Amino acid sequence: MSLKLYDTFTNSKIKFDPIDPTNVRMYVCGPTVYDYAHVGNARPVIVFDILFRLLQNIYGTKNVTYVRNITDVDDKIIDAANKASEDIGMLTEKTINYFHDDTKYIGALKPTFEPRATEHIPEMIELIEKLIEKDFAYVAEGNVLFSSSKFSEYGKLSGKDLSEMIAGSRVNVENYKRTESDFVLWKPSKEDEPSWNSPWGNGRPGWHIECSAMSEKLLGESFDIHGGGQDLIFPHHENEIAQSECANGKKFANYWVHNGFVTVEGNKMSKSDGNFVTVNELKDNFQGEVIRLAMISTHYRQPLNWTIANLEESKKTLDKWYSYLESFNEGELDVADNDSDIMEALLDDLNTPKAISILHQKFKNCESGNISLASNFLSAANMLGLLSEKPAEWLTWKQENMNINKAQVELLIAQRNEARMNKNFNKADEIRDELDKMGITLEDKGGETDWKVK
RNA sequence: GGCCACGUGGCGGAAUGGUUACGCAGAGGACUGCAAAUCCUUGUAUACCGGUUCGAUUCCGGUCGUGGCCUCCA
């Protein structure tokens, strides 16, 4: 059984064959850093984390290179900084820290490299010069533009036809463009905008060139997988292909993997309408693995509807699994092996929903105290980045996190148990109702009373 | 208008040319002083219309609907 991935380029699921099995290379478009990441930003982080883990399993941990860039120069950043009267560098630095907190929280492994656009300006300038030299780009009014009509294959990823694109163009086209579909490689900066010295005057790069320059530097002119959200197919990835393939005369990336969009409670996620959920705001109420499980219970190419109900379902599932694991001592379970059932599901274009159903089956087959079955269940879950916390910590997380007055709770429980001993069940139930109003649920197990936060 | 993806039970979500998973919720039961937790049992679905076929949810065509993209939004 070998890995199959759905490739946007061919619009079909195809067998994955790396250029070099001892160095499998993947580039994923990361965030533009001007605000907290929302769940739509988190989706590719988790999806490609699953793929990264899988590739490491197949080819060996050291034989996979995963690059996820950070876009830290961009119009949106400049706008956001101006709006907040904040220094651009401070804003991007702060946002990068938020992003790292978020990725850690959702259990994503660190990529091998996380290059920043502003640290690769010379590489971009060099690439642009190469394109001008080869006559794929031209200078106009301080801008450098890519000449889309010079690249006969322009539009091949998104299945667009150049003439139709021009006909359907709905934006005002700057008159210095030779063809409407030409795009900016370099543009002049205004007085108060970030700028770098270049052969074309002080300016800054266009959006697409960074990915071409940084992927080439870290992964070479050709690499295996290029990923990102569906919305990047056009124009971003289309333009990357144009830049890189024209500059190098080589195929850019062999497999194009794109994740689907996220809606929130059934409605389109829209920043301007305020209909979006940041990862950060979920931290108060849900542990990171809850986010992860909710995210991967839908196949990555399907649209994902983000709802509180689904989060709660995921939480319930993980609580159940962790409760079972709690009955084992630390280190008692062996998680060395990959599970072949989960592996098979993931090899089939990252079929995470199927993998989760397999986890449910394995859990069902677990018997109390059976170390071998529990080990298998746990290692299977670990392949998805799940059940990596200590059970005791997981189960008491809410108690620790919610400013509960534990002494008071324990006291009420003691009072209730005394009432129960005296068969004063009315009073016992009153106390339980009182605790319930505090968000605490009781579980009488054997002679003991456990409590948890709802 | 063009291109792409997609329509499975109350919800989430797999799979398949012929007995349709799995989870949540619902119902019933065991346990419990009653609950909770847990366990057992259980009902319900393949958007619509044609075609191919012994047989289609699955393949083909069409209709309707949803989402995305069409110059810088993951």
Side-chain angles (χ1 to χ4, degrees):
Chain A
M1 184 88 190
S2 54
L3 173 60
K4 291 200 191 93
L5 290 173
Y6 188 93
D7 171 42
T8 306
F9 199 92
T10 52
N11 275 325
S12 58
K13 199 154 74 176
I14 52 177
K15 183 175 178 292
F16 176 71
D17 239 333
I19 297 166
D20 175 5
T22 67
N23 184 18
V24 179
R25 287 159 285 169
M26 172 162 80
Y27 186 97
V28 175
C29 290
T32 300
V33 282
Y34 65 100
D35 198 0
Y36 281 110
H38 51 67
V39 288
N41 299 311
R43 194 174 192 192
V45 171
I46 293 176
V47 165
F48 290 100
D49 180 66
I50 299 275
L51 181 53
F52 182 40
R53 288 168 191 259
L54 179 64
L55 291 170
Q56 287 186 322
N57 273 334
I58 300 171
Y59 297 99
T61 308
K62 291 187 173 156
N63 297 330
V64 182
T65 307
Y66 171 27
V67 178
R68 184 182 61 212
N69 70 296
I70 285 177
T71 300
D72 58 355
V73 52
D74 175 271
D75 288 349
K76 286 194 299 297
I77 299 173
I78 296 170
D79 290 347
N82 286 342
K83 219 172 179 179
S85 307
E86 200 172 355
D87 174 72
I88 288 171
M90 300 276 276
L91 173 66
T92 56
E93 207 53 42
K94 184 176 81 180
T95 310
I96 289 168
N97 287 336
Y98 292 158
F99 180 70
H100 285 158
D101 287 346
D102 289 347
T103 54
K104 192 176 169 196
Y105 162 69
I106 54 184
L109 301 174
K110 282 186 181 170
T112 321
F113 298 106
E114 199 172 49
R116 300 185 189 183
T118 53
E119 291 169 2
H120 295 82
I121 303 293
E123 287 87 347
M124 295 188 219
I125 290 173
E126 197 181 322
L127 187 59
I128 295 169
E129 284 183 309
K130 202 165 168 184
L131 286 167
I132 294 174
E133 205 175 291
K134 292 193 173 183
D135 200 28
F136 284 112
Y138 59 93
V139 182
E141 297 181 18
N143 295 275
V144 184
L145 292 140
F146 184 89
S147 190
S148 54
S149 55
K150 293 269 173 67
F151 183 45
S152 61
E153 294 173 274
Y154 190 71
K156 65 180 177 176
L157 176 69
S158 51
K160 292 186 188 304
D161 186 85
L162 194 60
S163 58
E164 280 172 6
M165 258 188 278
I166 294 166
S169 182
R170 62 179 186 188
V171 291
N172 293 327
V173 176
E174 293 84 350
N175 50 20
Y176 52 76
K177 283 189 181 179
R178 288 183 192 164
T179 304
E180 281 94 328
S181 54
D182 291 354
F183 56 91
V184 171
L185 299 172
W186 188 268
K187 57 183 163 190
S189 294
K190 291 183 196 134
E191 200 61 19
D192 52 349
E193 292 174 347
S195 88
W196 289 264
N197 243 316
S198 84
W200 320 284
N202 285 339
R204 56 199 163 98
W207 175 37
H208 317 293
I209 196 72
E210 61 171 286
C211 291
S212 286
M214 297 191 290
S215 65
E216 182 178 334
K217 181 183 177 190
L218 296 165
L219 299 175
E221 293 174 348
S222 298
F223 55 94
D224 298 301
I225 298 170
H226 195 127
Q230 258 175 10
D231 56 327
L232 296 180
I233 296 170
F234 190 90
H236 186 52
H237 289 164
E238 196 70 70
N239 291 351
E240 285 183 45
I241 291 176
Q243 294 161 354
S244 293
E245 298 199 352
C246 288
N248 299 324
K250 285 182 186 163
K251 191 168 182 192
F252 181 46
N254 284 333
Y255 301 87
W256 291 87
V257 179
H258 293 100
N259 64 271
F261 261 55
V262 178
T263 55
V264 174
E265 301 290 347
N267 298 311
K268 184 183 172 178
M269 194 163 77
S270 161
K271 280 200 111 163
S272 51
D273 296 346
N275 189 44
F276 68 101
V277 180
T278 66
V279 174
N280 189 55
E281 73 189 74
L282 294 167
K283 286 176 185 160
D284 288 339
N285 291 312
F286 298 100
Q287 288 137 293
E289 285 189 12
V290 175
I291 313 303
R292 172 174 278 258
L293 179 58
M295 199 71 91
I296 64 175
S297 51
T298 295
H299 183 89
Y300 77 91
R301 284 193 295 115
Q302 294 287 113
L304 168 64
N305 187 21
W306 192 260
T307 63
I308 293 292
N310 286 159
L311 278 174
E312 280 168 355
E313 187 179 326
S314 296
K315 177 185 170 353
K316 202 168 175 175
T317 300
L318 288 165
D319 283 348
K320 185 171 71 174
W321 289 347
Y322 272 113
S323 296
Y324 168 69
L325 293 175
E326 199 193 16
S327 63
F328 294 93
N329 296 322
E330 205 179 329
E332 194 174 5
L333 301 180
D334 177 18
V335 292
D337 292 333
N338 282 324
D339 178 76
S340 58
D341 297 325
I342 300 287
M343 187 66 125
E344 193 178 328
L346 293 180
L347 286 173
D348 184 15
D349 195 31
L350 305 182
N351 194 339
T352 50
K354 191 175 184 184
I356 291 165
S357 77
I358 291 168
L359 280 184
H360 281 294
Q361 287 313 294
K362 286 184 184 292
F363 178 74
K364 208 172 180 179
N365 292 334
C366 278
E367 295 159 15
S368 175
N370 185 316
I371 290 178
S372 139
L373 288 173
S375 295
N376 176 250
F377 169 66
L378 181 58
S379 25
N382 283 176
M383 290 173 73
L384 300 168
L386 297 174
L387 301 182
S388 60
E389 308 277 331
K390 290 182 181 159
E393 284 175 19
W394 175 276
L395 294 167
T396 55
W397 179 82
K398 263 215 153 167
Q399 296 179 10
E400 303 296 332
N401 216 40
M402 300 257 315
N403 287 328
I404 302 279
N405 184 339
K406 283 193 216 172
Q408 190 200 359
V409 172
E410 301 287 350
L411 180 68
L412 286 168
I413 288 174
Q415 286 172 358
R416 170 171 170 271
N417 281 338
E418 198 186 330
R420 288 170 71 211
M421 294 266 280
N422 298 326
K423 307 237 187 262
N424 187 350
F425 295 120
N426 283 338
K427 185 174 182 196
D429 290 349
E430 268 173 33
I431 296 173
R432 185 168 61 199
D433 288 345
E434 193 182 330
L435 284 161
D436 187 70
K437 280 177 193 147
M438 293 162 64
I440 287 163
T441 308
L442 300 183
E443 292 174 18
D444 296 326
K445 287 178 180 169
E448 306 230 327
T449 300
D450 283 351
W451 60 277
K452 64 178 184 185
V453 182
K454 266 191 277 190

